[in-house]
Amino acid sequence: MTTIDRYITSLFARTILICFFSLGSVFVVFHAFNHLDDIAKQGKLDGSIAVTLANYYGPYLLMLFDWTGAIITLMALLFTIGWLRRSGELTALVAAGVSHGRILRPMIVLSLFIIMLQVANRELLIPVYRDILTTNPGELATESAQAMLPSYDKATGILIEGNGILAANQSIQAPSLRLYAAYPAYGDVVIAKQAVWRAADDAVPSGYLLSGVTSPEHIDDLPPGIPVLVDGGQGSPALVTRRDAPWLAAGECFLATTLNLEVLRDNPRSTRLTGMPELMRRVRNASIHSSDSLRVMMHERLIRPLLDICLVLLGLPLAVNRGDKRLFSVIAQAMGMVLLFFGLKTVAGGMGGSGYLISPSMAAWIPLLVLGPIAFARYRNVQHV
């Protein structure tokens, strides 16, 4: 890396940081202003408002970086070139025989690094803070139940319902299991006070441990439910009672299912914040119905790094434009291009999610198939300008 490469990279990195933290500061100020009372109450519990702001808005800045990283990178690239042009440094470099493609190279490399950093943030960090990102500041002090979406398990023939989900202890409040398959002696519904999710281990498949069962009566004396295929356990009973499982306490039963709490959440944002492995497991889960919108989301997540790269490359000709060199005019053109970019994604995703004309996978790939060749051609055009 030459001296001029280090200088351009440093200038570009500073511009990215300034743009991101400026946008993040505006977001935090406006959001915190609308929740001052809740933040003040939580600050008393945490010992400091600064601690509350860091605990709550730190994850939000990670989500903001995921949303805007590629756009900020594109804008920072245009700002950096505009600064080099205004200071006369760009003219000096071009006069010395350095092409625009060579000047843009360190910024393109740093842009690729930012996009890869977004991928790591999206798949490793954001899922960890998913509960905070789907919670209002006023709900931090008291553990309130999150909305729950009744879901039908096709493998067991059971509809899982409840009053809400408590994320802290991975449980369902007042669960009720509506039995649409034949479960002799169980009746039509199983009602309990709480259901706690348990991941699969060597002895027991994944499912919910129901405690305080009130219906049916004498749950401890009932035989196990019909065998189903759960987590690869061929013939595993769908409902297990104390009669055949001594590890259960009195008034408890176990429901074997692959419908974890994430599937039951009635929160579209929580689904969008899920990592790619979880999305793939949900789509492959034969016990639940995966909508076309979820399949579109999975394919979009897969190709999003390529689309982010396309967005940056599409803006390169604006940076070396020999016509209108006014910075704000260039930024306006870039914003128009960004709107067209996301407009194409939205239209294609909507068509795929509704099953209109195109499949979910094709809906996700159409923007890349359309914009990828254009982005590559625009990149090639600026190499020797």
Side-chain angles (χ1 to χ4, degrees):
M1 180 178 287
T2 63
T3 302
I4 190 61
D5 288 334
R6 289 194 294 269
Y7 172 72
I8 294 176
T9 302
S10 174
L11 180 61
F12 184 44
R14 290 200 303 268
T15 306
I16 291 176
L17 291 176
I18 291 172
C19 291
F20 174 71
F21 283 110
S22 297
L23 181 62
S25 299
V26 172
F27 169 80
V28 170
V29 168
F30 276 94
H31 193 277
F33 182 78
N34 292 326
H35 300 86
L36 284 178
D37 293 338
D38 295 332
I39 292 175
K41 293 178 182 178
Q42 184 64 30
K44 293 179 180 179
L45 298 176
D46 294 337
S48 171
I49 292 182
V51 174
T52 300
L53 292 175
N55 291 339
Y56 187 74
Y57 287 107
Y60 263 88
L61 289 179
L62 294 177
M63 186 172 65
L64 187 66
F65 174 65
D66 179 54
W67 288 351
T68 63
I71 299 175
I72 288 177
T73 300
L74 173 60
M75 296 301 154
L77 188 148
L78 298 178
F79 278 123
T80 302
I81 292 296
W83 175 261
L84 291 174
R85 178 180 286 119
R86 183 173 182 179
S87 63
E89 294 168 306
L90 183 63
T91 303
L93 289 172
V94 174
V98 181
S99 67
H100 284 95
R102 181 64 182 86
I103 297 172
L104 292 171
R105 186 182 303 170
M107 288 187 282
I108 294 176
V109 172
L110 185 56
S111 298
L112 295 178
F113 174 77
I114 295 295
I115 292 172
M116 292 300 102
L117 195 62
Q118 275 187 285
V119 174
N121 173 59
R122 187 182 309 126
E123 301 299 332
L124 301 179
L125 295 180
I126 290 181
V128 175
Y129 298 104
R130 183 172 49 195
D131 292 335
I132 295 179
L133 294 173
T134 55
T135 304
N136 292 324
E139 299 173 350
L140 293 176
T142 59
E143 175 67 15
S144 58
Q146 300 178 8
M148 176 180 170
L149 182 68
S151 298
Y152 180 74
D153 187 341
K154 294 189 294 184
T156 62
I158 296 176
L159 178 68
I160 304 176
E161 299 178 312
N163 289 348
I165 295 174
L166 295 176
N169 56 2
Q170 295 288 288
S171 65
I172 302 173
Q173 285 185 331
S176 63
L177 311 178
R178 298 193 178 274
L179 312 179
Y180 290 97
Y183 288 87
Y186 283 85
D188 297 328
V189 64
V190 176
I191 300 175
K193 294 182 180 179
Q194 188 182 50
V196 180
W197 170 257
R198 289 186 49 168
D201 55 33
D202 294 337
V204 181
S206 62
Y208 293 94
L209 176 62
L210 282 76
S211 58
V213 178
T214 59
S215 177
E217 297 180 356
H218 311 296
I219 186 68
D220 298 334
D221 300 327
L222 297 181
I226 58 176
V228 294
L229 299 179
V230 178
D231 279 356
Q234 297 185 2
S236 300
L239 287 169
V240 181
T241 64
R242 193 181 186 190
R243 168 180 164 177
D244 297 281
W247 53 273
L248 290 173
E252 292 183 346
C253 72
F254 183 77
L255 169 65
T257 179
T258 56
L259 273 65
N260 57 27
L261 290 174
E262 187 55 38
V263 175
L264 302 181
R265 290 179 193 265
D266 186 14
N267 193 332
R269 179 189 291 183
S270 179
T271 303
R272 290 194 295 269
L273 299 177
T274 301
M276 186 65 181
E278 177 64 27
L279 285 177
M280 295 177 66
R281 282 194 295 268
R282 187 180 303 188
V283 170
R284 292 174 178 175
N285 193 338
S287 297
I288 59 176
H289 169 70
S290 297
S291 65
D292 287 341
S293 297
L294 182 63
R295 296 177 184 275
V296 171
M297 184 186 302
M298 185 188 70
H299 285 276
E300 286 181 342
R301 182 72 66 83
L302 180 65
I303 65 173
R304 182 174 169 184
L306 297 176
L307 284 174
D308 289 341
I309 294 172
C310 285
L311 180 59
V312 174
L313 296 182
L314 286 170
L316 293 182
L318 298 176
V320 298
N321 181 20
R322 293 184 177 275
D324 190 353
K325 298 182 180 181
R326 292 174 297 179
L327 179 59
F328 288 102
S329 176
V330 173
I331 295 297
Q333 295 177 50
M335 292 303 298
M337 183 187 65
V338 170
L339 291 176
L340 290 175
F341 176 85
F342 284 102
L344 177 60
K345 284 185 59 179
T346 302
V347 172
M351 293 175 64
S354 62
Y356 180 70
L357 294 181
I358 54 178
S359 64
S361 57
M362 181 57 67
W365 284 84
I366 279 178
L368 182 62
L369 295 176
V370 172
L371 299 175
I374 299 175
F376 180 75
R378 291 169 75 90
Y379 167 74
R380 293 289 296 175
N381 288 338
V382 302
Q383 291 303 298
H384 305 290
V385 176

